[in-house]
Amino acid sequence: MMLEAFLSKHPERRTELEALQVNCQSKEFTGEEWNTKKERPDTIQAVFQVYLKERASLSQSFDYWNTYISNLFPLVRDLTNSLRTGDWILYLTAMERATSLFFFGRTNYG
């Protein structure tokens, strides 16, 4: 949804992203072409990150949900998947990432 809002605000990025998607799905797309076009996704991603920071500074609610979607949800997903599949390495890396949240703002208790 955030990407859709970003693309509606920047229609030129939408057409650029759609053109890149069509190019990536074509059978004639070679590695040589990718080397010439790989800066385009990086540019779109950089502009999207600036957009997210701007929106987060304007709305605390947006900042909360952006933090949830980008940080907390992947952490819970990885913990759940590690427990269901028995993947010990994934469990340890997820717990390592979660540890920073347990003592957030309370470094004396960590």
Side-chain angles (χ1 to χ4, degrees):
M1 290 188 292
M2 290 187 292
L3 182 61
E4 283 298 322
F6 166 74
L7 292 175
S8 67
K9 189 174 180 181
H10 301 281
E12 70 280 356
R13 298 291 179 192
R14 177 183 292 278
T15 56
E16 188 176 345
L17 193 61
E18 287 171 354
L20 182 64
Q21 182 180 4
V22 168
N23 286 341
C24 289
Q25 292 175 349
S26 70
K27 292 182 181 176
E28 298 87 30
F29 194 71
T30 64
E32 204 171 284
E33 288 177 303
W34 174 248
N35 288 334
T36 61
K37 297 178 182 181
K38 68 181 177 183
E39 293 84 21
R40 289 168 59 190
D42 295 337
T43 304
I44 294 172
Q45 183 179 10
V47 174
F48 183 61
Q49 292 301 324
V50 169
Y51 171 77
L52 290 178
K53 286 180 184 177
E54 287 173 0
R55 296 284 300 167
S57 67
L58 296 174
S59 170
Q60 287 182 337
S61 178
F62 182 88
D63 190 29
Y64 170 79
W65 286 108
N66 185 35
T67 301
Y68 174 76
I69 290 171
S70 61
N71 296 338
L72 301 178
F73 178 74
L75 177 62
V76 171
R77 181 197 62 216
D78 288 348
L79 279 171
T80 304
N81 287 342
S82 69
L83 293 172
R84 287 181 178 174
T85 61
D87 187 350
W88 182 246
I89 301 299
L90 180 61
Y91 177 77
L92 290 177
T93 57
M95 284 304 294
E96 184 178 358
R97 291 189 339 240
T99 306
S100 64
L101 298 174
F102 293 143
F103 303 108
F104 182 75
R106 296 187 178 110
T107 54
N108 293 335
Y109 298 105

